[in-house]
Amino acid sequence: MGGGGKAEKARRSSARVRLWVARASTVLLWTCVVHLAAYRELWAPRVLTRWPGCLTQPHVVQHPSETVAAADDGQRKAARSMALPPKRIYKNNGYLMVSCNGGLNQMRAAICDMVTIARYLNVTLIVPELDKASFWADPSDFQDIFDVDYFVASLRDEILPLIRKYKVLHLNRTDARLANNGLPMEIQKLRCRVNYDALRFTPEIEMLGRRLVQALRRNGPFVVLHLRYEMDMLAFSGCTHGCSNKEAEELTKMRYAYPWWKEKVIDSDAKRKDGLCPLTPEETALVLQALGIDRSYQIYIAAGEIYGGERRMAALTSAYPNVVRKETLLPSDISLFQNHSSQMAALDYMVSLESDIFIPAYDGNMAKVVEGHRRYLGFKKTVLLDRKLIVGLVDQYINGTLSWADFSSAVKASHTSRMGEPSRRQAIPDKPKEEDYFYANPHECLHQPDDLSAL
């Protein structure tokens, strides 16, 4: 009996403990619910809009790794409102997660392609994750550069709210996922719609970009020179023309330090003669003069820090005394973006679109995407330099076998039909990597002259 009594007493004590724990857990649970309800405005955007659930079911949803920017106030939302497409109901095949790679404009083009792929596969696109691991190591997230609410709202006619089964496809490299040519017209137009409508920069970037343009306009016409003569570009390309032996060695060491830069042994002279190197500041100065760019024009440098600094820029600043950069136009405001290369590139992108003339010294991703965007805005003047021809002419002029008059005449003549005018995009079926880039000339989306078919 003694043993049985002790056991019964132990069972009763255990039951009381379990009851207390259950009650405490219930109180704790309801306390959490009350707090979550009270702070719904704080928590809902951060948690509930990441994945479709019982409260919100957007087709383009927040990436799980992102933090969400503060909500727009009512006035700003009203000012930035748009005519939204009607809501439609779809059956959804799953989710598409994308981790973009490359610089801002490579990622921009990739995002357009990813929206198109999501539409084609009938899946929900999660707001893309931007590259933080490349050379630039930029900590910016999607919402630091682009307006997330606008992006989601402007694509809501792609909404797929009925989730039958949770499936996720994750693409961790997003470049060159779609062909340039041979796609249905509706697919090509969707790529343009994302690029020229849905991808709008954040209000902060747009406001500062407009201020930069206003500061430039107050002083007359301006040319944007996309001078890709930064250290990383030279190291990657292996182009060392005009560099000292010490600088060439430094660039080579940098190239070997990055294992994903696969090409290591590069003949700089041969590559330059083939037109595969960025033009140097000295070469660019000669080209601007040969093209007849007025000396009084402002030359806005859309680029990072020029390798070699003032020494390499001396020829350009001597020929054009009004060379400016965003850092010199609005130094205190720009300092807030200083350690965010993609946000700095976004500012250059905005200024490039608004310039009187855009001249890229190298045909990288920014040069191509800006070229296409300027075509979309009405075929604004964009000088597409023939670098292979130019370096040959420059060498002849420098060694004295070509007069200035002949040099200038040859440069002008060779670029009369390279000003971003209407044209058909070149397609090379057997060599897609050599054909014209869709985002440089999305002719399917442009208002073309009636006789374009004859070109």
Side-chain angles (χ1 to χ4, degrees):
M1 290 293 293
K6 289 181 181 180
E8 179 64 23
K9 188 174 182 181
R11 282 194 295 272
R12 290 179 180 177
S13 177
S14 177
R16 284 195 298 270
V17 170
R18 287 196 298 271
L19 178 62
W20 182 87
V21 169
R23 288 176 176 174
S25 299
T26 301
V27 171
L28 179 61
L29 175 62
W30 279 105
T31 300
C32 293
V33 170
V34 169
H35 278 282
L36 285 173
Y39 292 101
R40 183 176 182 276
E41 291 302 314
L42 173 63
W43 282 92
R46 184 176 298 171
V47 177
L48 299 178
T49 62
R50 286 181 177 173
W51 294 93
C54 59
L55 297 181
T56 58
Q57 296 177 325
H59 169 62
V60 183
V61 295
Q62 288 285 2
H63 192 282
S65 68
E66 292 181 338
T67 57
V68 180
D72 292 337
D73 58 42
Q75 289 184 343
R76 194 176 78 186
K77 280 185 176 179
R80 296 168 59 80
S81 63
M82 62 176 290
L84 297 176
K87 292 183 178 180
R88 292 152 62 187
I89 302 300
Y90 296 83
K91 288 187 176 180
N92 181 40
N93 291 331
Y95 295 102
L96 174 61
M97 294 176 61
V98 299
S99 299
C100 299
N101 59 294
L104 174 65
N105 292 285
Q106 181 175 324
M107 292 191 290
R108 182 189 184 104
I111 289 166
C112 300
D113 287 354
M114 293 302 104
V115 172
T116 305
I117 288 173
R119 168 75 173 269
Y120 184 78
L121 297 177
N122 196 34
V123 296
T124 298
L125 174 67
I126 298 169
V127 170
E129 179 182 50
L130 301 190
D131 188 352
K132 297 184 178 69
S134 67
F135 173 84
W136 299 276
D138 190 331
S140 300
D141 286 313
F142 187 96
Q143 74 273 4
D144 296 321
I145 302 169
F146 300 108
D147 189 325
V148 176
D149 291 339
Y150 185 88
F151 180 70
V152 173
S154 67
L155 297 174
R156 84 174 188 184
D157 67 338
E158 322 300 342
I159 289 177
L160 308 173
L162 302 178
I163 309 301
R164 295 181 303 180
K165 189 175 182 180
Y166 291 95
K167 296 178 180 178
V168 178
L169 170 65
H170 185 193
L171 300 178
N172 62 3
R173 293 185 67 85
T174 53
D175 55 324
R177 290 290 180 176
L178 285 184
N180 293 305
N181 303 292
L183 298 178
M185 183 64 74
E186 65 175 15
I187 293 295
Q188 300 293 55
K189 288 186 176 293
L190 177 57
R191 297 166 90 178
C192 292
R193 180 183 161 201
V194 179
N195 196 20
Y196 306 129
D197 180 21
L199 283 177
R200 184 166 63 180
F201 294 125
T202 65
E204 295 77 15
I205 291 175
E206 286 201 338
M207 180 180 68
L208 188 52
R210 286 193 296 269
R211 288 182 58 203
L212 285 169
V213 172
Q214 291 167 0
L216 288 160
R217 286 275 175 237
R218 283 194 292 267
N219 295 313
F222 69 96
V223 175
V224 166
L225 177 61
H226 185 45
L227 190 62
R228 277 302 260 128
Y229 208 74
E230 301 110 329
M231 184 178 184
D232 64 300
M233 173 51 68
L234 300 181
F236 174 77
S237 64
C239 298
T240 59
H241 182 72
C243 295
S244 66
N245 291 335
K246 183 179 180 180
E247 289 172 333
E249 183 180 349
E250 181 181 40
L251 294 172
T252 301
K253 286 181 178 178
M254 183 178 186
R255 184 164 64 253
Y256 276 89
Y258 289 89
W260 54 89
W261 291 357
K262 296 181 180 180
E263 190 177 15
K264 302 300 183 183
V265 180
I266 299 175
D267 185 333
S268 176
D269 290 337
K271 197 166 186 178
R272 175 177 174 269
K273 288 178 181 178
D274 285 338
L276 301 177
C277 287
L279 293 183
T280 68
E282 297 88 350
E283 292 167 341
T284 305
L286 291 174
V287 170
L288 297 185
Q289 291 172 295
L291 289 170
I293 302 297
D294 196 297
R295 176 178 166 83
S296 67
Y297 280 17
Q298 300 167 93
I299 307 297
Y300 177 95
I301 304 297
E305 184 177 352
I306 302 303
Y307 190 62
E310 293 183 4
R311 176 179 66 84
R312 296 306 302 271
M313 289 293 288
L316 184 60
T317 54
S318 175
Y320 292 91
N322 296 321
V323 173
V324 296
R325 304 172 62 95
K326 52 189 173 293
E327 294 88 348
T328 59
L329 288 169
L330 299 173
S332 59
D333 297 294
I334 296 299
S335 63
L336 300 175
F337 296 81
Q338 198 71 51
N339 296 322
H340 301 273
S341 58
S342 291
Q343 295 178 50
M344 295 282 273
L347 293 171
D348 282 342
Y349 187 95
M350 288 191 66
V351 178
S352 298
L353 292 184
E354 297 297 327
S355 62
D356 297 283
I357 307 173
F358 176 66
I359 305 178
Y362 187 67
D363 58 353
N365 287 293
M366 177 169 172
K368 292 175 181 176
V369 176
V370 169
E371 176 194 344
H373 205 151
R374 286 173 67 86
R375 289 177 184 270
Y376 181 81
L377 295 175
F379 301 100
K380 302 176 75 171
K381 190 172 184 179
T382 302
V383 184
L384 306 173
L385 299 178
D386 184 339
R387 294 189 308 279
K388 184 174 182 178
L389 174 72
I390 285 172
V391 296
L393 293 174
V394 166
D395 288 347
Q396 292 178 59
Y397 172 68
I398 295 298
N399 65 29
T401 60
L402 191 66
S403 69
W404 173 256
D406 289 340
F407 172 78
S408 179
S409 178
V411 170
K412 286 177 181 176
S414 61
H415 289 84
T416 54
S417 60
R418 298 175 65 90
M419 298 288 180
E421 64 279 349
S423 64
R424 287 283 181 187
R425 192 174 58 251
Q426 183 185 20
I428 308 176
D430 297 331
K431 299 179 180 179
K433 290 186 177 181
E434 296 180 15
E435 65 186 9
D436 291 343
Y437 187 43
F438 173 82
Y439 292 104
N441 183 14
H443 68 247
E444 298 92 334
C445 311
L446 309 180
H447 296 291
Q448 306 281 9
D450 295 336
D451 61 346
L452 182 60
S453 60
L455 294 177

